[in-house]
Amino acid sequence: FQVNQFWIELGYFITLSSLGFLALKASKPRTARSFKPKYIDLFFTSVSASTVSSMSTVEMEVFSNTQLVFLTVLMFVGGEVFTSMLGLHLMRARIINRRTNNILNSEPNSQSLPQSDSNTDHIELRMITDHNFTEEKSNTKQEEEGNLKLKSIKILAYLVSCYLLVVHVTVSSLISIYLSLIPSAKRVLKTKGLKIETFSIFTTVSTFSNCGFIPTNENMVVLKKNSGLLLILIPQILMGNTLYPVCLRLSIWFMEKFTKRSEFRYMLKNSRKLGYGHLLSGKHCFYLANTALGFIVLQLAIFCVLHWNADAIGGLNAYQKLVGSLFQVVNSRHAGESVVDLSSISPAILVLFVVMMYLPPYTSYLPISEEDDIGPHKKEKNTIKKRNIWELLLFSQLTYLVIFVILICITERNHMKRDPLNFSVLNVVIEVISAYGNVGFSSGYSCKRQIHPDSQCKDAWYGFVGKWSDVGKFLLIVVMFFGRLKKFSTRGGKFWSLA
Amino acid sequence: FQVNQFWIELGYFITLSSLGFLALKASKPRTARSFKPKYIDLFFTSVSASTVSSMSTVEMEVFSNTQLVFLTVLMFVGGEVFTSMLGLHLMRARIINRRTNNILNSEPNSQSLPQSDSNTDHIELRMITDHNFTEEKSNTKQEEEGNLKLKSIKILAYLVSCYLLVVHVTVSSLISIYLSLIPSAKRVLKTKGLKIETFSIFTTVSTFSNCGFIPTNENMVVLKKNSGLLLILIPQILMGNTLYPVCLRLSIWFMEKFTKRSEFRYMLKNSRKLGYGHLLSGKHCFYLANTALGFIVLQLAIFCVLHWNADAIGGLNAYQKLVGSLFQVVNSRHAGESVVDLSSISPAILVLFVVMMYLPPYTSYLPISEEDDIGPHKKEKNTIKKRNIWELLLFSQLTYLVIFVILICITERNHMKRDPLNFSVLNVVIEVISAYGNVGFSSGYSCKRQIHPDSQCKDAWYGFVGKWSDVGKFLLIVVMFFGRLKKFSTRGGKFWSLA
Ligand SMILES: [K+]
Ligand SMILES: [K+]
């Protein structure tokens, strides 16, 4: 079932990316006369949008309004909350299907049961009869619970849809209002020839799905003084990613208080039984929220200490600096929008960002015992015995990332020799981990950093990966898919002993 | 007990390092007139020798013959095989001590047992009586086994001493013979003013303990054409580190065939019960050997493909290249001797070396089930329930390493800004992981790589850390201790869920 699920999701994202690629190819870019992106770059952008990574090999202002709309759709249907909602519907369909089959097969089943047991001795037979008896007694109870579960899944799917709808409508209205009220922000869009509606909806979808594309070349750098806008986006980033389970549980709790329906009570009490990975127990939510906020505070403290007087956030007043820094550190998990040029940030922070980008959204310090609700761990223990050829061969995720880094060091080896400051291993690692974490941070490429200056070189506003060879770009596409589906490979490397 | 053991070993290494420091301080360096190392550099060297790391902040030819002898002693008593032998003697003393106490306390013990059980009901009492009965019957058997175990530990300790002695005597004689027979090697030592005996013994001890210091400034680079010498050292590196358990088991097997003593049979059958961490089961040895050889082949293949025609191993014929490459890749786990300048190696290989340096010696692909002999895992499961405040707070080893890298990026931030090619994050990571793995590889520092050339700059033959600030050096000293005692921190980070 796990493997099956993996292929379904992989197929979904590949289909999405291919459709996105075709749509981008069919429509004309804004710069149709002067510059046309290569096919690999269009595919890269499509993959980047549908896996919500926001890695880029093309400047964003190349894309026309139509193409931005296509990207918005890709980001929306590629986002984790949306796909998880699809998963809920799928799960419900499956359960209903299984039930119909069970009812159809129930008579032959009950006949075959005694037959297969006919060679057991008396004591065992008695135990089975006893067991059957209690089973019959609890059968109606079980059926009741089954119905409740099915209803709960249905209602949960609707609740998630409402959550999506409410957040998107609210935030895009807020952004629209902000943009029409604040002249400085309005002016930016005007000079770039962007429509307010397109910008609001694109930004809202991109931020909630934690994709991180912004229709401007400079991402949020050009709007870094608009602290109000940043403050609208920060909670939305958290609501769509690291704190989604907390918000979801709060919504359910609120609905339970409001409607008193038993389905909501069932959801709160049996958070794991429903099989919806984003519905966590209360305790787990508590630790998750603390961990996420702890990481933000830690990053903010180090970032402010090392950069308060640095050029990276120059030209801002204290309030703007604080909001900008907060925005930047919130974005390292995992939206990837940016108000500073990452290449001007000190290496200490970059290493910290690499760690934050690597950590999956629901990383949490979880000192609760096994009897408490930590479903996945239990599952792991049960399945440890039935070994699967895949499990034996799988490495840990970190190993795969190192392999990708080594491969890219090999494909870009000539660049690395000639241009060691731009093509440093740290920058490659940032790019790979950023793609794996579906973040979108990039050190970029700067002609100033070339050791042997090249007169042809022109600075551009796309990511570092834009300067790589096609094979390197292709490898990063693979890393983005791998990162988007990382939940399926958490069990790799189990048979390696590092003792 | 675990914690206790940790403090004992930490105390041992700190005492060793301090004594080494005092000895180095009291004796005169060879370059006493022109250059005297700073105190922190002497302490650094002493720690580096006693933790068998071979990180350096001073050129080796600074040290006089007397100081080289001190370093030899430090490396010998700091090596893992020697300390594990001490551990065996300590364990034996403890068991004897506990037995004596048991015999003294045996009467009060047997009286207190029934008293504490007096409140149990009849059925339980009967079971306990039964249990006692079988216990009495098997008591003599147990005692017999205890005696056998005690004898086995004693014999094992002697066997390890013999192993040490035989390897050291054989290899240092081989090196002496090689040096006196081959004129090119002899000439090198003569020009450097090194005695053949000092060089042979120093190199043997350093290689077997996997320390990696060589009395020459250039480490083995200056002897890279002496393939014979490299071929003598390669098996010794493996015998003292990654393949030590395999060699130990083979020796025991050989002794069992030869003497037919029951203690050897006991050792072979109860490898885990003895409590000697380096005595592994046959299957485990098999997988360990395969993994270690697999890593060597993998590294060798990539190294040769990327460097066959490169400058790094220039000026050698095909045979010398092959032996040199093999020597280099064997040294990444964890001896750290070197026939090439690491800064001239391609980044892909450097990243691979970082992984190899990180992996502990007994890393192995181990697809054997839990019922088979993999002691540490079992232990972990049993102790998972008794939580310890330390365990709750401990991070994983990788997290600590990242913290150290970030701290060093902060202490060296001015260097990193001014001199980004030498002070790259990759070079810092190599230095930290090399210290943690007790390897001793270093990218070094090169005046040629400075972006803003400094006329005062002089190239030197010590490691990159030699150019760091004193705080940075101190941090690396901490990393070396942490790395030497890494076996005590394998259980950290257990309460972090990355799901
Ligand atoms: K993103
Ligand atoms: K070493």
Side-chain angles (χ1 to χ4, degrees), chain A residues 294-431:
Chain A
F295 280 148
I296 291 173
V297 171
L298 175 77
Q299 288 184 87
L300 187 63
I302 300 182
F303 192 89
C304 284
V305 166
L306 289 180
H307 282 286
W308 196 253
N309 294 314
D311 300 339
I313 47 172
L316 302 180
N317 63 34
Y319 168 69
Q320 287 168 340
K321 266 185 196 174
L322 191 67
V323 174
S325 305
L326 178 64
F327 184 77
Q328 190 64 35
V329 302
V330 166
N331 269 286
S332 67
R333 303 182 69 214
H334 297 269
E337 295 168 14
S338 208
V339 290
V340 300
D341 176 11
L342 274 195
S343 64
S344 64
I345 283 183
S346 78
I349 301 276
L350 290 181
V351 174
L352 184 64
F353 278 174
V354 167
V355 176
M356 290 300 147
M357 296 195 294
Y358 171 73
L359 292 177
Y362 299 164
T363 297
S364 61
Y365 179 66
L366 205 65
I368 49 184
S369 71
E370 282 177 57
E371 295 89 59
D372 304 343
D373 174 347
I374 37 167
H377 291 255
K378 268 187 201 164
K379 254 187 202 165
E380 211 169 331
K381 282 225 174 118
N382 288 338
T383 48
I384 219 166
K385 270 154 210 161
K386 17 172 186 159
R387 268 180 222 167
N388 184 312
I389 183 74
W390 288 106
E391 270 180 42
L392 283 169
L393 293 176
L394 273 181
F395 294 119
S396 69
Q397 290 171 331
L398 214 50
T399 313
Y400 284 113
L401 292 178
V402 173
I403 292 173
F404 278 113
V405 168
I406 291 177
L407 288 178
I408 289 164
C409 283
I410 292 175
T411 67
E412 311 301 319
R413 64 186 178 283
N414 292 327
H415 285 130
M416 295 187 100
K417 221 172 185 176
R418 231 183 21 238
D419 192 4
L421 276 184
N422 276 307
F423 280 85
S424 71
V425 173
L426 176 66
N427 287 351
V428 171
V429 169
I430 290 176
E431 209 76 8

Side-chain angles (χ1 to χ4, degrees), chain A residues 48 51-55 206 209-213 331 334-337 434 437-441:
Chain A
S48 185
T51 60
V52 294
S53 306
S54 84
M55 310 297 295
S206 174
S209 67
N210 271 236
C211 181
F213 275 139
N331 269 286
H334 297 269
E337 295 168 14
S434 177
N438 301 125
V439 181
F441 278 168

